[in-house]
Amino acid sequence: MQSNHATIADAAQSLVLGPPLAEEAGQGAHTIGGYLREVASRFGPREAVVAGKGADRLSWSYDDLLTRSLEVARALVACGLGKGGRVGILMTNRPEFLSSLFGIALAGGVPVALSTFSTLQELEYLVRASEASMILVEQQVLKKDFGEMLRELEPAIAGAQPGALVSRRFPYLRHLVAIGGAAGGGAAGGAVEGWDSFLARGTAIDEATVLARADAVHPADTGGIFFSSGTTSLPKGIVHSQRAFTIQWWRWPRIFAMREPVRSWTGNGFFWSGNISMVVGAAFSTGGAVVLQPMFEADEALELIERERLTFINGRPHQWARFHASPNWAGADLSSLKYIPRGEMIWQHPTVDTDWDVPMSFGCTETMTICTSFEQSDQASRLEGSFGSPLPGNVLKIVEPISRRPVPVGEVGEMCIKGPTLMSGYLGKAPEECFDADGFFCTGDGGRIDEAGRFYWEGRLTDMIKTGGANVAPVEVDDVIARIPGVKRTQTVGVPDDLLGEMVVACIVPVDGATVLEAEVIAFCKGELASFKVPRRVLFFTDEEMAITGSEKVKSSQVRELATRRLQGETATAG
């Protein structure tokens, strides 16, 4: 059977084939270094990267970004980085993050994205698990001194020379490079080298040597490593190929129907795959610009949108809630905005006038963001509740979660996927621990396909709330609650209940100073959700109480325990 976007290979087995990757329009070079060189050749003098404002405003053209990336690559070659050598990037969203990402790739290395939200214990785990030989680190991020944290974890850093660290705790780590403020620099000493000194190493390496290395990199070679959020266990190191990055970078303008140079921004770190994929791809593949904000701050972000005439902003509902709470919200000029995923709260602003809405898509870090989607321009094929068809090159199947046998079309089971943007595997895991016998990644997500090959997501199999015999996907409830003014963060959980099995309970962190009432939340949900999905109770917590991971995801298991204790306490008090 054939649809506009996919072929159902076997209706009895819920097996769907996306179109061939070779037929996908808009694709280009499939190595990270090749991608940068191609967009630089297309858009050379155009503005590509923006940071800061006023006298401190920095603007790099595409030519500048390539030059800066080559500087990093030359320095890495001079430091002895070999093909496949891992280099950690521990930075906020600053220009050097991008020049480091592309520079490591041009030199033949593998960038490893490290979260700036990491605690001391989390940082120790990430550095050890990544097996990075070098780390490019932003010295100070808010109150965190990462240089000091690393020295605390490994005192030998203080007495070693750059490139000569010997550590039992981090046996592969040899060299650290620190960067400070916008002008570069960074506190040097011991095994830690300053940014400017690091770049100076590369003066003896000619550009031709770097480009020869870049030409020897293949699309199937390792392109980068991200770490999962670790909501249920230690973060997993997710290894992606070169083509996983680049296929998605080229793909975003087609999926989003972006026809002009896009000026993009995100309130979240580039150490998350969704941001480095979507924000970079939307901007660079269209000849637009990435406008950087090191850390999310609502007042400053509103000013950035207005001053830099941003067209695409990628954030989360709790960040849009902070926009609403900003004293600058009412007077901001947001008229330049066009592309706003999950932007219902932004659309309410009187200066925003756009008919664009995000095409429903499904994906995860393991698939380097989306693996099924509609195209924004193809309104006719959209169907309520569906997340589209497998993207080019992908194959999707639905299986019974325990037996792993494929289920017929229309039957709910576990969604499994394989294709060119699927991870190569997890760090330290054998292939059979990552994929099934046919090479599919089994996502842990429940879903089904229809007769046209469209995928319908039914929620995480492990997080599903079973209430009164029905299944409730927490994210569906959370997406509704996140649209309520004053809600900063929300996590819906199932709490044990004698009558229902599990009771749907919404746990909310309000925006500072906002008043959100339980009755109002329940009333709003009743207008948006089926009755069995509406929370029976709404509980309110502080940021300190609502546990989050290093990637700012809520730990649902801990929130469930928190909610259970709160309700038990209420019962005991009432008794």
Side-chain angles (χ1 to χ4, degrees):
M1 292 185 290
Q2 184 76 32
S3 74
N4 291 331
H5 301 286
T7 301
I8 297 182
D10 187 343
Q13 296 192 8
S14 285
L15 183 67
V16 189
L17 311 179
L21 177 63
E23 297 178 5
E24 182 172 13
Q27 290 292 319
H30 279 170
T31 64
I32 295 171
Y35 174 86
L36 176 60
R37 292 163 72 184
E38 185 166 338
V39 295
S41 70
R42 292 185 189 182
F43 309 121
R46 291 189 189 177
E47 187 171 68
V49 179
V50 176
K53 63 180 180 179
D56 295 325
R57 185 181 187 273
L58 176 147
S59 174
W60 286 355
S61 67
Y62 284 84
D63 289 334
D64 293 333
L65 176 58
L66 178 57
T67 297
R68 300 282 184 158
S69 301
L70 286 167
E71 286 178 350
V72 173
R74 290 162 64 188
L76 291 169
V77 173
C79 289
L81 183 73
K83 185 173 181 180
R86 298 174 187 171
V87 182
I89 307 177
L90 181 56
M91 299 183 193
T92 58
N93 292 2
R94 56 186 296 149
E96 293 86 358
F97 189 110
L98 295 173
S99 62
S100 296
L101 171 73
F102 287 113
I104 295 165
L106 286 164
V110 176
V112 182
L114 303 175
S115 172
T116 57
F117 290 124
S118 299
T119 64
L120 186 69
Q121 292 73 24
E122 289 167 338
L123 183 61
E124 178 184 14
Y125 171 78
L126 295 179
V127 174
R128 189 171 64 248
S130 71
E131 299 179 342
S133 61
M134 296 182 67
I135 298 178
L136 311 181
V137 56
E138 187 168 349
Q139 179 80 16
Q140 190 82 31
V141 178
L142 296 178
K143 295 181 179 180
K144 289 182 180 176
D145 185 330
F146 281 114
E148 184 58 38
M149 289 170 68
L150 288 164
R151 283 188 290 272
E152 182 178 344
L153 290 171
E154 179 47 85
I157 289 173
Q161 292 297 309
L165 175 66
V166 177
S167 168
R168 292 184 179 180
R169 176 168 283 179
F170 306 127
Y172 290 95
L173 185 61
R174 302 279 291 168
H175 197 148
L176 296 100
V177 178
I179 189 166
V192 182
E193 184 170 27
W195 186 256
D196 295 335
S197 175
F198 163 69
L199 293 181
R201 287 175 176 262
T203 56
I205 306 296
D206 63 6
E207 184 177 302
T209 298
V210 172
L211 295 180
R213 282 182 167 227
D215 289 340
V217 174
H218 303 286
D221 288 342
T222 301
I225 298 171
F226 295 94
F227 283 90
S228 67
S229 58
T231 53
T232 57
S233 62
L234 288 172
K236 298 182 181 73
I238 299 169
V239 183
H240 274 296
S241 67
Q242 297 273 330
R243 69 175 184 168
F245 282 78
T246 53
I247 287 170
Q248 302 291 46
W249 280 338
W250 293 121
R251 177 173 280 164
W252 286 112
R254 180 181 67 83
I255 295 296
F256 280 172
M258 293 167 163
R259 313 298 188 201
E260 74 293 325
V262 172
R263 295 180 68 81
S264 66
W265 166 94
T266 180
N268 302 299
F270 284 150
F271 44 79
W272 294 329
S273 62
N275 297 301
I276 199 67
S277 178
M278 194 183 306
V279 173
V280 167
F284 291 171
S285 296
T286 62
V290 175
V291 179
L292 300 173
Q293 184 182 27
M295 291 155 288
F296 176 73
E297 198 281 315
D299 294 350
E300 182 184 63
L302 289 169
E303 182 185 343
L304 267 177
I305 294 170
E306 181 172 341
R307 185 179 68 249
E308 297 293 345
R309 305 302 294 162
L310 300 182
T311 53
F312 170 49
I313 58 173
N314 182 48
R316 295 177 176 166
H318 75 270
Q319 291 168 326
W320 304 156
R322 293 192 204 178
F323 278 3
H324 267 251
S326 168
N328 299 337
W329 168 255
D333 177 5
L334 310 182
S335 59
S336 62
L337 292 177
K338 182 176 181 180
Y339 311 106
I340 318 165
R342 296 191 297 176
E344 291 88 347
M345 296 181 76
I346 306 299
W347 298 338
Q348 298 171 18
H349 195 279
T351 66
V352 175
D353 182 16
T354 177
D355 59 0
W356 185 90
D357 62 332
V358 64
M360 293 302 294
S361 307
F362 175 84
C364 54
T365 303
E366 285 84 352
T367 56
M368 194 63 185
T369 69
I370 58 174
C371 58
T372 75
S373 186
F374 290 106
E375 293 180 35
Q376 203 281 336
S377 59
D378 188 8
Q379 298 286 339
S381 69
R382 294 196 193 188
L383 200 63
E384 184 69 26
S386 173
F387 286 76
S389 303
L391 290 166
N394 288 340
V395 183
L396 180 158
K397 69 178 179 180
I398 306 293
V399 302
E400 198 283 320
I402 297 176
S403 70
R404 297 296 185 193
R405 295 191 185 95
V407 301
V409 167
E411 189 171 318
V412 174
E414 183 174 6
M415 190 267 212
C416 305
I417 191 79
K418 67 178 178 180
T421 67
L422 179 62
M423 67 175 179
S424 306
Y426 293 121
L427 287 179
K429 299 289 186 181
E432 61 269 22
E433 297 178 89
C434 306
F435 312 108
D436 72 7
D438 297 315
F440 284 86
F441 171 62
C442 297
T443 63
D445 291 278
R448 60 183 173 86
I449 61 168
D450 65 16
E451 65 284 351
R454 292 177 293 238
F455 173 64
Y456 293 77
W457 183 66
E458 301 287 346
R460 291 290 296 171
L461 294 174
T462 53
D463 290 340
M464 197 73 70
I465 300 170
K466 300 184 183 300
T467 182
N471 291 334
V472 177
V475 69
E476 183 180 1
V477 182
D478 291 332
D479 282 347
V480 171
I481 294 174
R483 303 204 308 265
I484 300 173
V487 173
K488 179 180 180 181
R489 201 183 308 277
T490 175
Q491 174 69 52
T492 299
V493 295
V495 172
D497 181 83
D498 292 338
L499 180 63
L500 299 170
E502 286 186 305
M503 176 171 59
V504 180
V505 178
C507 300
I508 293 173
V509 176
V511 173
D512 291 345
T515 299
V516 183
L517 301 177
E518 180 176 19
E520 292 176 351
V521 173
I522 292 173
F524 186 83
C525 290
K526 284 181 177 178
E528 300 285 333
L529 297 166
S531 58
F532 68 90
K533 299 178 182 179
V534 175
R536 296 296 184 100
R537 290 296 313 274
V538 179
L539 306 178
F540 298 95
F541 299 94
T542 64
D543 269 323
E544 291 72 26
E545 291 174 309
M546 187 85 94
I548 60 173
T549 69
S551 57
E552 270 204 335
K553 290 187 177 180
V554 176
K555 295 181 177 180
S556 58
S557 59
Q558 293 186 19
V559 175
R560 186 179 299 110
E561 294 175 7
L562 192 66
T564 301
R565 290 198 302 270
R566 173 78 65 84
L567 293 173
Q568 287 173 343
E570 290 182 3
T571 301
T573 301

